[in-house]
Amino acid sequence: MNLVLFGPPGAGKGTQSKILAEVRGLPQLSTGDMLRAAIAAGTPLGLASKALMDKGALVPDETVVGIIAERYDQPDCANGAVFDGFPRTIAQAEALDIMLAERGRKIDLVLELKVDDAALLARVESRIAAGGTLRADDNPETLKKRLEVYYKSTAPLLGYYGGQGKLKTLDGMAPIEAVTRQIAGILEGIKG
Ligand code: AMP
């Protein structure tokens, strides 16, 4: 089964895809995590991506499509994967559909976590106040930019996947456990 966790930055995609991946025994493929690992390792790809990420812009489609294709061919993706933070543009979604079709696979479901912008800003501000595991792009200015990018480049995917009949929308404002339960309920009816 191939699932996409979809939603604006801070909606809880990472949290829910980790839980989902564990429950379903599928790997979680987070392009954000892969890019941060590339930065930490000092690879050319990491170096090229860092400035864009720090300012809340998207890295080029070819970059993320390339890292996803390479990762998806690892043996642990034999039964599918949970995509987290990918695709983020129509071009990426089209490339993903082609990549999966070439392997006799498809996206089964796209789970949208719906949240409101004011709540997202409040979440980031409370993460900052808590002084927790802060990311370089976790600050109110960058979040505003990431939200702009989300609405301009990523939100159009809702039409793309809605048109394919694959989109399910969930209340991302609900507590973590409640969102997890909603997802489990949706997946119950789906063969995997
Ligand atoms: P995330 O951890 O998913 O919020 O991603 C952090 C940052 O990595 C984003 O703000 C982008 O700069 C970059 N990034 C992650 N995934 C993608 C993607 N699918 N396409 C383009 N840029 C991405």
Side-chain angles (χ1 to χ4, degrees):
M1 174 179 281
N2 292 285
L3 303 167
V4 174
L5 256 289
F6 191 88
K13 299 187 295 293
T15 304
Q16 293 300 334
S17 46
K18 266 191 199 76
I19 297 171
L20 189 53
E22 203 176 309
V23 170
R24 308 290 303 195
L26 297 171
Q28 173 209 10
L29 305 193
S30 156
T31 39
D33 285 351
M34 293 177 206
L35 291 166
R36 281 184 288 276
I39 292 173
T43 66
L45 188 145
L47 289 175
S49 307
K50 186 175 185 325
L52 289 166
M53 289 173 71
D54 283 352
K55 68 176 186 201
L58 295 182
V59 306
D61 290 333
E62 315 78 76
T63 304
V64 284
V65 168
I67 57 176
I68 280 287
E70 200 178 301
R71 179 66 187 84
Y72 194 80
D73 283 333
Q74 304 290 313
D76 63 338
C77 296
N79 294 319
V82 178
F83 294 93
D84 165 14
F86 178 90
R88 260 176 156 99
T89 63
I90 297 276
Q92 291 177 23
E94 289 171 346
L96 178 61
D97 279 348
I98 292 169
M99 181 198 92
L100 291 172
E102 283 170 355
R103 290 155 178 80
R105 310 276 187 87
K106 63 176 173 44
I107 290 295
D108 295 286
L109 199 62
V110 178
L111 297 159
E112 179 200 7
L113 298 177
K114 212 177 174 66
V115 288
D116 69 75
D117 293 1
L120 289 178
L121 279 164
R123 276 188 192 176
V124 169
E125 273 155 13
S126 71
R127 264 194 259 178
I128 293 168
T133 52
L134 209 57
R135 284 165 31 178
D137 57 357
D138 252 356
N139 61 70
E141 288 76 55
T142 314
L143 179 65
K144 279 184 195 139
K145 167 74 180 159
R146 287 161 67 207
L147 278 172
E148 264 173 50
V149 170
Y150 171 79
Y151 286 114
K152 182 166 169 279
S153 305
T154 307
L157 287 176
L158 294 170
Y160 181 87
Y161 286 121
Q164 294 185 355
K166 293 181 176 169
L167 186 69
K168 294 274 181 206
T169 299
L170 300 144
D171 175 14
M173 300 308 296
I176 291 176
E177 304 74 40
V179 177
T180 304
R181 275 199 303 277
Q182 289 180 65
I183 294 177
I186 290 170
L187 292 181
E188 233 162 60
I190 294 180
K191 272 204 335 199

